[in-house]
Amino acid sequence: MGTLHGRKKRRFLPFLLVLAALLLAAAAVFLLWRPLKGAPPAAEESATPGLTAEATPAENAVSAPAPEAAQPLQAGLSRYEAVLKVDADQMILYGNLRLTYVNRYAQSLFTVMLNLFPNAVSKDCLTLQTVTVEGLDAEYTLDESKTHLTLPLPRELRPGESAKIYLSYLIRIPKTNERFGAGENRIMFGNCIPIAAEFENGAWREDAYSDAGDSFYSSVADYRVSIAAPKDYTLSCTGAVEEQRTEKGVTTVLAAAREVRDFAFCLHKNAYTALRTVNGVEVAGVARTQKAAELAAQSGADALAFFSEKICEYPYPRFCVVDFDGSGGMEYPGLVMVDATQFNARQENYAAMIVAHEAAHQWFYGIVGSDQLNEPWVDESLAQFLGFDFIRSTMGDEAFEALWSYAFQKLPEYERTLRLDAPLTSFQGSDYFYVVYAYGAQMMRELYDALGAEAFYAALQNYVGEHRYQNAKGSDLIAAFSEAAGKDMAAWFEAKMEP
Ligand SMILES: [Zn+2]
């Protein structure tokens, strides 16, 4: 572990050669970091430099400068600083990422794993150009799908310490009509910033990507992202837009987001934007028609207000609801994508329900994360029920029942063989929808009816309060409902899990 390019013994080289190598290395590192100049330096950059006891041995300093000392950051979050540029003619995203990775685990790390999900969507579409760790070229490895990048660290990363990782990469944007890829006048950039995998039971979680469902599991981090794109596109993204300028046909946006699990953005051509403000949060609806943009913004604002009142205040400054070419919807922190056809469908309430479902994910997936691969029901069944409960609260019982029947009309014909709490990989075809969404929502509805609205939402308030910005488990959710019910609900849940 921990082997990096350039860590070769050169102590016998003549002094002049050593000096020349030092100068060259310094120049190379200077050039390497230059692309990041667009992103303002973060506060920790100026933290007192100094080397820890594990500082690189002098012999290794020949081919690269001594790495910055890992600063123990008390309860610090990893920080992703990215400079992205979209070439919409060539359909290429150029990415530069500087990641200050903080070891928030209780044990030392010797490697860091990053997920390169675009390669799972379209083979080899993401190409790595430069990869360094602590300023040294990294002798990284990729798995067969090139989705999991393993970076050896030059030395042990103790709990609380941080390591600087730098990547430059390009992504050839495939036409997918999905959360990542180009569609009709829209380009979606879901999962286009490589983010750290989770470390569990002494190993990195090397989860397979899944098109069906959301195979994402991550920790919250801080992001500062600069995105340059042709000015004739409308840009929506996670976080707050801090700066925006247009020069020579290119609009550059600087966005910042704190305590989020991921960062996504998207570009819409010939789109309409509608804005609302609710509880000081700006809600943007972006869609192909003005009517759809208004519906997106209004439903988004109403859903944020509803869940803010019922669960806890939405903690971010902005929420974007955009249409896309995929089916259903897709949640990212502060940005959700909703099937464009739903906005113009006869069932207008259905579009509002999808928006509310994705808004509910801001709490369940966002504020409280969960293992979407092994326990997809935890956030998904809940979000599905909450989307409907939003409809009930805003449009009444009749609309709620009509929409429920419409959404789950084929459920009686479905023969269920899988447990509700089965992992994502065990679902084939429509199983996932019927089991996790339909039966999952049904289970939550029965729970709501049994406990009453007040206790049901009290459980969710406690669950969010206790696991805010962390990853929780299904057992934590059950414990929260047990507490609100005043009795152990484990057996009740177990009975519902069985087919
Ligand atoms: Zn969902």
Side-chain angles (χ1 to χ4, degrees):
M1 297 273 186
T3 52
L4 293 176
H5 281 310
R7 298 188 70 175
K8 293 168 185 130
K9 289 184 180 177
R10 297 192 192 171
R11 61 177 72 144
F12 303 118
L13 287 177
F15 172 73
L16 273 178
L17 266 178
V18 173
L19 187 66
L22 259 175
L23 286 171
L24 271 173
V29 168
F30 173 72
L31 287 171
L32 186 70
W33 289 95
R34 261 162 46 106
L36 278 162
K37 277 181 78 179
E44 284 86 344
E45 290 294 332
S46 57
T48 320
L51 296 175
T52 61
E54 295 78 36
T56 316
E59 61 182 295
N60 297 321
V62 173
S63 55
E68 265 183 66
Q71 302 289 329
L73 301 173
Q74 289 248 311
L77 296 182
S78 293
R79 193 172 63 240
Y80 293 78
E81 295 167 281
V83 177
L84 309 175
K85 187 179 172 213
V86 179
D87 180 338
D89 294 330
Q90 300 296 318
M91 277 294 169
I92 293 176
L93 171 71
Y94 295 94
N96 290 279
L97 170 66
R98 180 165 57 189
L99 163 60
T100 306
Y101 182 81
V102 180
N103 178 8
R104 301 184 81 215
Y105 300 107
Q107 66 190 95
S108 289
L109 295 174
F110 296 89
T111 58
V112 171
M113 181 179 281
L114 302 184
N115 290 316
L116 310 182
F117 288 129
N119 280 339
V121 175
S122 176
K123 197 170 181 291
D124 294 337
C125 73
L126 187 155
T127 310
L128 292 169
Q129 293 168 316
T130 306
V131 183
T132 71
V133 179
E134 300 286 67
L136 301 166
D137 282 344
E139 220 167 61
Y140 62 83
T141 54
L142 284 165
D143 67 330
E144 206 183 324
S145 67
K146 298 184 184 169
T147 305
H148 303 106
L149 169 67
T150 304
L151 300 161
L153 297 169
R155 61 190 153 67
E156 174 184 4
L157 196 66
R158 292 175 178 173
E161 290 184 338
S162 66
K164 290 221 187 279
I165 294 165
Y166 172 81
L167 305 182
S168 70
Y169 59 97
L170 71 80
I171 298 176
R172 293 187 192 284
I173 304 157
K175 177 138 177 38
T176 61
N177 294 323
E178 273 297 341
R179 58 194 173 200
F180 160 60
E184 195 70 29
N185 286 317
R186 310 174 181 91
I187 317 174
M188 300 288 139
F189 295 91
N191 316 102
C192 284
I193 295 179
I195 63 169
E198 291 297 299
F199 191 80
E200 279 182 358
N201 305 319
W204 290 100
R205 282 274 301 260
E206 204 168 321
D207 300 311
Y209 178 88
S210 169
D211 287 329
D214 313 330
S215 49
F216 310 122
Y217 182 39
S218 59
S219 291
V220 297
D222 292 339
Y223 286 78
R224 285 182 83 73
V225 181
S226 155
I227 308 162
K231 73 169 173 54
D232 47 340
Y233 282 88
T234 303
L235 193 154
S236 311
C237 62
T238 296
V241 174
E242 296 200 334
E243 280 175 42
Q244 181 164 346
R245 63 173 191 276
T246 301
E247 277 171 358
K248 295 178 183 165
V250 173
T251 297
T252 303
V253 161
L254 175 65
R258 295 188 69 92
E259 296 179 302
V260 292
R261 282 171 206 285
D262 202 344
F263 185 101
F265 70 103
C266 54
L267 298 173
H268 282 67
K269 207 172 195 177
N270 304 324
Y272 289 85
T273 301
L275 295 173
R276 299 287 187 279
T277 302
V278 58
N279 303 341
V281 178
E282 185 180 66
V283 181
V286 179
R288 188 175 300 161
T289 65
Q290 185 71 47
K291 181 172 168 271
E294 298 290 345
L295 179 57
Q298 192 61 51
S299 306
D302 291 345
L304 276 201
F306 178 69
F307 297 129
S308 289
E309 190 210 320
K310 294 285 184 191
I311 303 163
C312 76
E313 204 177 325
Y314 176 75
Y316 306 110
R318 204 155 188 272
F319 182 54
C320 296
V321 182
V322 306
D323 69 358
F324 84 140
D325 300 279
S327 60
M330 182 61 208
E331 73 279 11
Y332 289 101
L335 170 71
V336 301
M337 305 169 180
V338 176
D339 181 349
T341 61
Q342 294 296 342
F343 286 114
N344 301 306
R346 275 183 299 122
Q347 266 286 10
E348 205 172 71
N349 291 353
Y350 200 75
M353 189 276 289
I354 296 174
V355 173
H357 171 115
E358 306 307 340
H361 273 306
Q362 300 303 306
W363 281 263
F364 307 106
Y365 151 72
I367 298 171
V368 180
S370 53
D371 186 341
Q372 293 188 314
L373 290 112
N374 290 320
E375 297 190 306
W377 73 275
V378 176
D379 68 320
E380 210 55 74
S381 301
L382 198 50
Q384 184 68 356
F385 172 73
L386 292 175
F388 280 99
D389 200 39
F390 163 77
I391 294 294
R392 172 158 56 190
S393 77
T394 51
M395 297 167 197
D397 286 341
E398 210 171 300
F400 166 80
E401 295 295 352
L403 197 63
W404 189 279
S405 305
Y406 171 77
F408 304 135
Q409 56 190 310
K410 290 193 178 142
L411 190 60
E413 296 160 31
Y414 177 75
E415 209 169 303
R416 182 180 154 202
T417 57
L418 290 156
R419 279 178 67 88
L420 214 162
D421 58 356
L424 185 58
T425 47
S426 56
F427 298 101
Q428 305 286 328
S430 57
D431 287 339
Y432 190 55
F433 172 79
Y434 285 121
V435 178
V436 176
Y437 286 70
Y439 277 103
Q442 180 66 42
M443 174 179 75
M444 290 298 172
R445 183 177 178 176
E446 287 173 29
L447 188 59
Y448 177 98
D449 290 343
L451 300 184
E454 203 174 312
F456 181 86
Y457 279 108
L460 297 184
Q461 287 165 15
N462 291 339
Y463 175 70
V464 172
E466 206 162 313
H467 304 286
R468 194 178 183 87
Y469 303 134
Q470 291 168 12
N471 281 309
K473 295 189 182 310
S475 54
D476 296 319
L477 185 59
I478 293 170
F481 280 117
S482 296
E483 197 188 323
K487 60 181 179 191
D488 189 354
M489 297 293 289
W492 186 91
F493 272 94
E494 177 54 30
K496 299 293 170 191
M497 295 300 169
E498 283 290 336

